[in-house]
Amino acid sequence: MTIQAVVFDIGGVLEITPRLGVGEKWESRLGLAAGELDERMADAWLGGSIGTITERDVADALTDRLGFSERQLGEFLADLWREYLGTANTELIDYARRLRPRYRTGILSNSFVGAREREQAAYGFEDLVDVIVYSHECGLTKPDPAIYALACERLRVEPAQMVFLDDHQPWAAGARQVGINAVLYRDNAQAIMEIEALLSATERPSLRLRR
């Protein structure tokens, strides 16, 4: 079946997102045990990832559970978003841009409340692709089969007509289980080569003749 859409994950793929040790830094500053910050915030992190709570709710939970002052809250959130957003993977972003209009393009990301606005400001993802599916907006997360189905629906393709690039093996495996052509990201050269191989293998004959 001819590939009609190429979809990208964000963190670790379109964004370069090394861990900056934010949790460890703040646990040290607050005198918390290792892992305690995430333990106290677990339900808020989950709620933020599926959109059942707002950014204000997250801020209130941080204040109530960790005893943040207003200044500390601002500093922590700045650190958190700096780690979340990382830096642009410009080579892969440029590649995604070049795929249009020949292919429909999309983003499928496990995300957090506030991500769309910040990523648009930093990277212009809404202008890069045709469709963005954020977990915090649809209430579903990878590898739930329903989120892959939603991406297909919004891009108006069958699973076999989509290529999906993700750097996390379980999320790529989840896509494969519903029939999507998934590529596991390791580096830009490998990812682009594997995507191009899939596109070339399923090209329409008329497109081959134009080359």
Side-chain angles (χ1 to χ4, degrees), residues 135-166:
S135 69
H136 75 274
E137 293 177 345
C138 69
L140 301 165
T141 60
K142 296 176 289 187
D144 186 332
I147 198 169
Y148 302 109
L150 180 62
C152 290
E153 177 185 335
R154 291 185 179 177
L155 284 160
R156 305 188 308 280
V157 296
E158 297 297 322
Q161 296 174 311
M162 178 191 291
V163 176
F164 175 55
L165 178 66
D166 201 294

Side-chain angles (χ1 to χ4, degrees), residues 162-183:
M162 178 191 291
V163 176
F164 175 55
L165 178 66
D166 201 294
D167 65 323
H168 193 41
Q169 173 61 36
W171 303 171
R176 291 191 192 103
Q177 287 174 3
V178 300
I180 293 170
N181 302 280
V183 173

Side-chain angles (χ1 to χ4, degrees), residues 47-117:
S49 72
I50 56 174
T52 57
I53 62 174
T54 66
E55 284 192 78
R56 182 68 259 173
D57 294 330
V58 174
D60 289 343
L62 286 164
T63 301
D64 293 344
R65 299 175 191 183
L66 300 175
F68 279 142
S69 67
E70 186 173 347
R71 177 183 59 80
Q72 287 175 320
L73 176 64
E75 291 177 359
F76 176 80
L77 289 173
D79 284 347
L80 200 67
W81 283 112
R82 189 177 303 113
E83 182 175 74
Y84 185 99
L85 294 171
T87 57
N89 185 344
T90 53
E91 181 182 13
L92 199 61
I93 288 172
D94 288 344
Y95 172 70
R97 185 176 290 112
R98 292 196 303 271
L99 289 170
R100 302 169 79 189
R102 188 177 177 193
Y103 299 96
R104 297 174 208 149
T105 58
I107 282 172
L108 175 58
S109 175
N110 284 356
S111 54
F112 200 77
V113 286
R116 178 183 285 271
E117 297 80 6

